Amino acid sequence: MTPPGAPHVRARGNVAYLGKWLALGTAIGVIAGLGTVAFLLALRYTTDVALGDLAGYRIPTPFNEGGDPGSPGFTRAWAIPLVTTGGALLSALIVARLAPEAAGHGTDSAIEAVHTDPRAIRARVVLVKLVASALTIGSGGSGGREGPTAQISAGFGSLLTRRLNLSDDDGRMVVALGVGSGIGAIFSAPLGGAVLAASIVYRRDLDYRSLVPGFITSGVAYAVRGALLGFDPMFGFVDAEYRFERAWPLVWFAVLGLAAAGVGYLYARTFHATVALMRRLPGGMVLKPTVGGLLVGLLALVVPQVLSSGYGWVQLATTREAVLAIPVWIVVVLPFAKIVATACSIGTGGSGGLFGPGVVIGAFVGAAVWRIGDLLHLPGVPDDPSIFVVVGMMACFGCVAHAPLALMVMVAEMAGSFAVIPGAIIAVGIAALLMSRSEVTMYRSQRVDRWAAREERAAAR
């Protein structure tokens, strides 16, 4: 028999649970949204000053930032390596003196906090990460914007865990929600951010408990970011008119999935090999990122598309005219050049994310497959490259981050259309299946699943 009063106890428990996560989710979402706005404004300023005023070069911007096609070429090519080197040096000095743990991409440290100690992220790391990443990326370093925003909101979650004395389980969820809402806000992809919060901490699992609180957190972050900077999708509505009419051209998406898995594997291995090499080489945590900045600047003289985050180049790659205007060899080489540039910028200890460059790398994998197919007049290749570009973004980083569902949803939101999903599930499915056969991951702090993480915590007690 049900004990007397049991329904009332459950009802009070449900109300308490609802109130707790409404309050925590709203607070984290507000900070994630405001942190995104602060970082984007800081990045816009440093980019305008460093690359624009000092180097005389305007990088392309995505649709939700005006869609500027950027400068047609370098007016002061000699200044590009100087600016990338100077920005990397200044960023590294700030990190070394104020918060050494802010070096690198930051998302891994937030994931590690979820699994070990959700109270461990120091408050000062948030501000240092924001400033250092704005300097690195704004001066042309190849890094993603999501690392700083994820660490800002994860750091706030860690602060809440300490101040409110939350349980370890609640603290882990709060920090994970911070990561997801920060990334979702920077890409204007709230649903993808919520799914990412539940999936990014594991390689082969999903923390379903984070989904509903994640909807609240990501929705609030999106509302705050949109209220201040606009609600447009990052890349506009690039595939709104695409429709599948025949089945056999879907074979192209299997090809794209194979290519994306190979390049994603190379991206992760190259980055982690660079990090391991930096640990063995002499020189401090200021010299190495500075040399990395110099190498990126020199590479950019040959392949300008490697500079900064690169989202504006993705925007251009969604149109046939822009892709055809880029030499074929650059379209084909660009994914590999971006891998090298990101390893030099972030793998050496510079501050910035890995998610964003992964999206750009995947976009140009798709653009390269389309360009070759169009050049050879192969059957089934669409007239427009946009669907290959969008699906490439999903498949390449989705597989190597072990978050294929989150990336599919997020990139569809960034592109303003879910019409790409039939092709995407083939490409992403193949890429994720191939990557699941290896232990390679972009985020080495990920645990295999919830059970492995639970056993690890039990053994540590």
Side-chain angles (χ1 to χ4, degrees):
M1 294 180 61
T2 302
H8 299 289
V9 172
R10 286 197 297 271
R12 286 196 298 271
N14 290 338
V15 170
Y17 179 86
L18 176 64
K20 175 175 69 176
W21 287 109
L22 273 174
L24 290 174
T26 301
I28 296 168
V30 168
I31 295 301
L34 291 176
T36 296
V37 172
F39 179 69
L40 287 175
L41 293 178
L43 179 59
R44 187 178 302 170
Y45 177 78
T46 54
T47 303
D48 287 344
V49 171
L51 287 176
D53 296 338
L54 297 179
Y57 180 69
R58 302 286 174 181
I59 61 172
T61 58
F63 178 85
N64 69 346
E65 295 176 23
D68 187 344
S71 302
F74 295 134
T75 56
R76 295 194 290 273
W78 56 267
I80 296 296
L82 297 179
V83 168
T84 57
T85 305
L89 171 61
L90 187 55
S91 173
L93 284 171
I94 292 172
V95 169
R97 295 186 179 183
L98 298 179
E101 64 267 44
H105 60 97
T107 307
D108 239 346
S109 62
I111 295 173
E112 186 63 30
V114 171
H115 292 301
T116 54
D117 184 3
R119 300 168 176 81
I121 303 175
R122 292 196 297 167
R124 72 162 63 181
V125 173
V126 171
L127 182 58
V128 171
K129 190 71 176 178
L130 187 153
V131 174
S133 297
L135 287 168
T136 298
I137 302 170
S139 62
S142 179
R145 305 171 179 180
E146 83 293 334
T149 55
Q151 201 151 28
I152 288 169
S153 40
F156 180 70
S158 188
L159 176 65
L160 283 180
T161 304
R162 293 193 299 270
R163 292 297 175 86
L164 300 180
N165 197 26
L166 299 177
S167 68
D168 285 348
D169 283 343
D170 285 348
R172 280 189 279 272
M173 191 181 299
V174 161
V175 175
L177 292 177
V179 174
S181 60
I183 296 176
I186 202 72
F187 289 120
S188 294
L191 180 56
V195 179
L196 190 69
S199 57
I200 198 170
V201 296
Y202 302 112
R203 291 205 305 270
R204 301 175 188 169
D205 207 347
L206 183 76
D207 188 357
Y208 64 90
R209 299 172 306 161
S210 299
L211 277 175
V212 174
F215 295 151
I216 298 169
T217 305
S218 288
V220 171
Y222 175 68
V224 172
R225 188 241 197 246
L228 296 173
L229 296 179
F231 290 95
D232 289 326
M234 174 172 271
F235 301 120
F237 302 91
V238 296
D239 283 301
E241 301 301 322
Y242 190 90
R243 294 292 182 272
F244 290 96
E245 297 177 350
R246 294 173 292 174
W248 74 266
L250 289 170
V251 172
W252 275 107
F253 294 93
V255 174
L256 184 52
L258 291 170
V263 174
Y265 180 89
L266 181 64
Y267 179 34
R269 291 300 297 267
T270 301
F271 177 79
H272 292 304
T274 303
V275 173
L277 177 63
M278 289 302 108
R279 290 176 182 152
R280 295 195 299 269
L281 290 178
M285 62 184 304
V286 173
L287 177 62
K288 294 172 185 177
T290 303
V291 174
L294 173 61
L295 294 175
V296 171
L298 294 174
L299 178 60
L301 297 180
V302 181
V303 187
Q305 291 84 357
V306 302
L307 286 173
S308 198
S309 296
Y311 306 132
W313 286 107
V314 174
Q315 184 72 64
L316 292 173
T318 61
T319 64
R320 178 184 178 88
E321 296 76 13
V323 175
L324 293 178
I326 303 173
V328 177
W329 74 268
I330 287 186
V331 176
V332 173
V333 166
L334 183 53
F336 307 102
K338 191 69 175 173
I339 289 172
V340 172
T342 306
C344 290
S345 293
I346 312 303
T348 57
S351 189
L354 298 177
F355 189 111
V359 167
V360 176
I361 291 164
F364 276 91
V365 169
V369 171
W370 178 86
R371 187 72 175 87
I372 293 170
D374 184 74
L375 183 67
L376 299 177
H377 303 290
L378 297 178
V381 175
D383 292 334
D384 188 277
S386 57
I387 190 167
F388 277 26
V389 169
V390 172
V391 172
M393 286 191 274
M394 297 174 175
C396 186
F397 199 73
C399 72
V400 80
H402 294 275
L405 178 60
L407 263 292
M408 266 203 296
V409 174
M410 183 170 286
V411 174
E413 291 179 283
M414 291 159 66
S417 173
F418 282 82
V420 301
I421 293 300
I425 58 176
I426 294 174
V428 175
I430 288 174
L433 187 63
L434 288 172
M435 199 60 65
S436 71
R437 306 302 300 173
S438 76
E439 297 300 315
V440 173
T441 175
M442 208 73 241
Y443 302 117
R444 288 189 165 176
S445 292
Q446 287 175 324
R447 300 319 193 248
V448 174
D449 53 32
R450 285 173 290 161
W451 316 116
R454 194 172 300 166
E455 289 179 3
E456 179 184 304
R457 290 193 295 270
R461 291 194 185 104

